[in-house]
Amino acid sequence: MIYLKTEEEIELLRKANLIVAGTLAEMAKMVKPGVTTRQMDTIAEQFIRDHGAIPVFKGFPNPYGGPFPASICTSVNDVIVHGVPDDRPLEEGDIVSVDCGAYIDGFNGDSCYTFCVGEVKPEIQNLLRATKEALYAGIQQVCVGHRLGDIGYAVQSRAESEGYGVVREFVGHGVGRKMHEDPMVPNYGKKGNGKVLKNGLCIAIEPMITQGSPSLYLADDKWSAKTQDGSWAAHFEHSVALHNGKVDILSSFEAIEEIENKSK
Ligand code: MG
Ligand code: MG
């Protein structure tokens, strides 16, 4: 069942998502060689709590093992999603996707950004650019009268046109009072297929794109999803609302991109 949101509810969702955006900007400030993902998790949790929100990922149940032990997912290199923060220092040339969720005033924010650690190989920079472009290609399809399949089609065709792999096992989702609501928002699909998009629809669109094959396996920690072929993966996610017939991006990469541009 899809819960369409009122204007007030959309503003509450925006509030939660801007706390997530602020958290990710803190990550942008600190990500560099030598930093551990556990250190990033500590700062992220502090930032979320300092803003009166709850890090919803912490304690998230897992059908295959124990609950998620941290406030952010940190997926390094060949980890596609759900990487668990640890004590391995990040190295020059690594990439790390930081997925973050925050809950405040009854609503959830959910957004993800893939960061470069120092100087990253051009082909990996290209993967990151293409994944972000695939996200925005999907977002462009969010308008009244379009269908869910249009979003997936746009994401998939954008990524595959450059020869990249599109992960099928994990998908975007409705977002609201629950972190994961209906509908599922796959990163693949057929034009004109699926449910019609209506005003009040709030969804997280989150392409997970691989340099090689998108086949994956679950690592021993029972959380990290890794590429089977060891190729690297990127993940960008925005939470968006459809209202007044137009798409409204509730999360934000603005502060992150400002920090990235300064360091170039
Ligand atoms: Mg997320
Ligand atoms: Mg999500």
Side-chain angles (χ1 to χ4, degrees):
M1 149 122 203
I2 297 175
Y3 294 96
L4 300 174
K5 274 78 178 178
T6 63
E7 293 289 317
E8 288 83 8
E9 289 172 325
I10 290 171
E11 288 318 308
L12 289 170
L13 265 171
R14 191 190 314 280
K15 183 177 174 184
N17 273 291
L18 290 181
I19 293 172
V20 172
T23 312
L24 292 177
E26 292 303 305
M27 301 297 99
K29 285 180 202 163
M30 73 182 294
V31 65
K32 59 171 182 247
V35 167
T36 70
T37 47
R38 200 186 300 281
Q39 288 168 327
M40 294 172 74
D41 178 55
T42 302
I43 299 292
E45 177 166 4
Q46 196 61 50
F47 186 93
I48 294 167
R49 294 197 190 277
D50 283 351
H51 288 79
I54 292 167
V56 258
F57 289 3
K58 203 163 197 174
F60 207 85
N62 182 351
Y64 309 105
F68 196 74
S71 298
I72 50 173
C73 298
T74 52
S75 304
V76 178
N77 299 346
D78 62 332
V79 181
I80 303 166
V81 280
H82 303 159
V84 180
D86 63 18
D87 295 314
R88 184 184 82 87
L90 292 168
E91 288 172 26
E92 179 89 24
D94 283 348
I95 54 171
V96 55
S97 303
V98 180
D99 198 347
C100 180
Y103 177 85
I104 188 166
D105 295 344
F107 285 85
N108 289 281
D110 187 10
S111 178
C112 179
Y113 198 92
T114 302
F115 298 97
C116 294
V117 182
E119 197 60 42
V120 167
K121 280 189 208 149
E123 58 263 40
I124 299 299
Q125 288 178 27
N126 208 47
L127 170 71
L128 269 48
R129 176 197 51 73
T131 306
K132 203 194 263 189
E133 284 177 12
L135 167 62
Y136 286 109
I139 290 172
Q140 267 183 9
Q141 294 300 315
V142 180
C143 46
V144 170
H146 277 208
R147 288 171 184 268
L148 271 175
D150 296 328
I151 300 173
Y153 174 81
V155 171
Q156 180 183 11
S157 48
R158 186 73 197 73
E160 288 182 350
S161 71
E162 295 196 49
Y164 292 125
V166 176
V167 170
R168 303 291 201 276
E169 288 85 344
F170 301 100
V171 296
H173 49 90
V175 62
R177 291 190 181 275
K178 292 211 177 118
M179 171 66 76
H180 299 119
E181 297 186 349
D182 286 338
M184 293 210 288
V185 184
N187 296 303
Y188 54 91
K190 287 200 176 82
K191 256 185 190 171
N193 246 24
K195 288 213 162 74
V196 175
L197 311 182
K198 292 178 184 165
N199 272 316
L201 179 76
C202 295
I203 52 174
I205 303 177
E206 48 178 318
M208 288 147 262
I209 305 298
T210 57
Q211 205 190 1
S213 157
S215 299
L216 57 82
Y217 70 97
L218 188 63
D220 291 341
D221 65 14
K222 301 292 178 209
W223 278 107
S224 307
K226 295 176 131 185
T227 61
Q228 203 97 52
D229 64 6
S231 71
W232 289 13
H235 180 200
F236 287 87
E237 174 180 28
H238 267 315
S239 290
V240 307
L242 176 53
H243 64 148
N244 302 325
K246 280 187 297 202
V247 70
D248 183 353
I249 302 177
L250 303 173
S251 38
S252 172
F253 295 158
E254 219 171 292
I256 300 171
E257 287 167 348
E258 219 167 89
I259 293 161
E260 283 188 340
N261 289 335
K262 262 189 217 155
S263 68
K264 264 179 199 161

